[in-house]
Amino acid sequence: MSAAIRRVMICGRVQGVGYRAWVEREAMMRRGLEGWVRNRRDGGVEALFYGPADIVSEMVALCRRGPSSARVDDVTDEPAGPDSLNLRHAGEGFSVLPTV
């Protein structure tokens, strides 16, 4: 099975509704993906997912719905390189990063 790294930008009412915690739980705990998630100053959420391509695609699709308290207006995703994983905190497979 091939691996994929995807960078995802989520827009809508996605801050202050537990979106980052939801992404961390769905990606790391339920699907075993690596990566990170963070809020953006523009009001969006950005995430990076690494793992089996089909599981990464499944996670990207889930981001289009988000947790029940969120309202997702738009999701864009693009391939990313392995260097993007270096943003994670040392020793963590999946990190919640500070706002950028």
Side-chain angles (χ1 to χ4, degrees), residues 5-22:
I5 304 174
R6 305 290 297 177
R7 180 175 165 262
V8 181
M9 301 291 289
I10 304 106
C11 300
R13 189 176 58 119
V14 293
Q15 289 189 17
V17 296
Y19 200 98
R20 287 178 304 164
W22 175 84

Side-chain angles (χ1 to χ4, degrees), residues 11-47:
C11 300
R13 189 176 58 119
V14 293
Q15 289 189 17
V17 296
Y19 200 98
R20 287 178 304 164
W22 175 84
V23 165
E24 181 183 29
R25 185 174 55 254
E26 292 292 329
M28 183 181 70
M29 295 181 211
R30 294 198 177 155
R31 290 171 179 77
L33 296 175
E34 295 183 36
W36 49 261
V37 63
R38 63 184 173 190
N39 282 342
R40 298 190 53 87
R41 286 192 184 99
D42 64 6
V45 170
E46 179 181 15

Side-chain angles (χ1 to χ4, degrees), residues 73-94:
D73 295 333
D74 188 37
V75 173
T76 58
D77 74 291
E78 61 188 26
D83 289 345
S84 301
L85 288 167
N86 294 337
L87 292 175
R88 293 177 295 183
H89 299 296
E92 292 185 354
F94 200 95

Side-chain angles (χ1 to χ4, degrees), residues 47-84:
L48 185 92
F49 304 117
Y50 168 67
D54 58 334
I55 305 296
V56 169
S57 293
E58 177 183 312
M59 188 64 214
V60 171
L62 281 174
C63 286
R64 297 182 190 287
R65 287 195 326 258
S68 61
S69 55
R71 186 196 75 243
V72 177
D73 295 333
D74 188 37
V75 173
T76 58
D77 74 291
E78 61 188 26
D83 289 345
S84 301

